Amino acid sequence: MWAAAPLLLLLLFLLLLPLAWLCRRGAARLEPAGRAVLITGCDSGFGHLLALRLHRLGFTVFAGCLSPGGDGARRLQLEAGGTGRLRVLQLDVTCARDVRAAKELVLSHLPERGFWGLVNNAGISTFGETGWLPMETYEKFADVNLLGSIRTTLAFLPLLRKYKGRIVFMSSIIAYFTLGNGIYSMTKAAIEKFCDALRLEMKKFGVQVCIIQPGNYAPSTKIQPPVSAEQIWSELSEEEKAVYNKEYVEERANFFNSILSEGSTNGNEVVDAMVDALTSPAPKARYMVAKLKEKALVFLCALFPTVVMDSVLSYALSK
């Protein structure tokens, strides 16, 4: 009898855990006024939409832009109405100097309730089979999509611990599988593991870490423009051209472009999840915002052996 006690306690814990989580979800939402949030990658896409949404909710928003004098940044300031609670700042996440300057700016303009959230949104995407891309491209993607998020996180971690705030990371369902953009999948899978470690480590400080996993929102974010088979071919090395003919490159490019065109144009669906991660009394560890067929593919990747999924994905690529 006593030997079964640990198992019974575990079952009781698993039964009560969802009830406790639902009770917390029903608690009052966070009061945004007087709290600061820094968002990276606000020139366009999700970052741009989120900056405006948080500003309208009452947060003090620091909107990091790669080009603070560009059209996106100027439009952001115009749409915010110049209230003073939204500040556009130069922030290249690959540049340690920019990150330090961003922290100094935030510290010098902190509202009364302090620093509440960091949203690591900045990212880039491209298309190409493994051997088509030079090492410099792999280094750039790792620096922007992975190390850039880590760089900003490490800089702002002391503030987040002090105010028991939130950290939100932009991942993707592409972290689970790849269909022509393995370089992007690689960085998103890596950031997921970084977040898993960070989430557990930050619990003791009252800091909550959330991952956003969008499906295909290419038309909404413009993170991945349509690819040009002609440009891909012109940039291939002679060794790769000897392996892949031009018709194959065109087929792959057309396939990838057709996937991009099927993406959602409603980026606010993802922004809703980001806002929940920042304001909910009980935020989720992961927010998957995707179509049913995209979620089903993720589920299959988690459930079936690799050999099965390789066959499914290979068949999709062959069509």
Side-chain angles (χ1 to χ4, degrees), residues 70-219:
D71 291 341
R74 287 198 297 269
R75 192 171 67 254
L76 188 59
Q77 290 175 313
L78 182 65
E79 291 167 328
T83 63
R85 281 190 298 100
L86 189 148
R87 292 176 179 271
V88 170
L89 61 144
Q90 166 73 43
L91 184 51
D92 177 351
V93 296
T94 70
C95 177
R97 184 177 63 253
D98 275 11
V99 175
R100 285 194 301 269
K103 184 178 180 180
E104 290 171 6
L105 181 68
V106 169
L107 283 169
S108 62
H109 294 89
L110 270 183
E112 59 272 20
R113 288 181 175 172
F115 189 70
W116 176 250
L118 170 64
V119 181
N120 288 300
N121 167 73
I124 54 176
S125 179
T126 194
F127 163 81
E129 297 198 2
T130 303
W132 297 1
L133 304 170
M135 188 62 204
E136 291 78 14
T137 302
Y138 282 95
E139 291 171 346
K140 180 180 179 180
F141 269 69
D143 205 9
V144 175
N145 292 359
L146 175 61
L147 299 180
S149 292
I150 296 173
R151 190 175 287 111
T152 53
T153 299
L154 294 180
F156 284 90
L157 214 48
L159 274 176
L160 290 159
R161 285 195 294 251
K162 179 180 178 179
Y163 293 103
K164 301 183 187 303
R166 307 273 172 93
I167 316 176
V168 179
F169 290 84
M170 183 59 67
S171 181
S172 170
I173 63 167
I174 285 295
Y176 296 94
F177 59 88
T178 179
L179 284 171
N181 55 349
I183 189 171
Y184 186 68
S185 301
M186 170 194 76
T187 59
K188 293 307 180 183
I191 205 65
E192 292 258 349
K193 293 301 106 182
F194 174 76
C195 291
D196 285 343
L198 186 67
R199 185 177 60 256
L200 293 175
E201 294 165 2
M202 289 298 107
K203 282 183 179 296
K204 57 182 173 286
F205 300 108
V207 176
Q208 301 196 64
V209 179
C210 304
I211 303 172
I212 311 296
Q213 300 172 315
N216 180 4
Y217 281 84

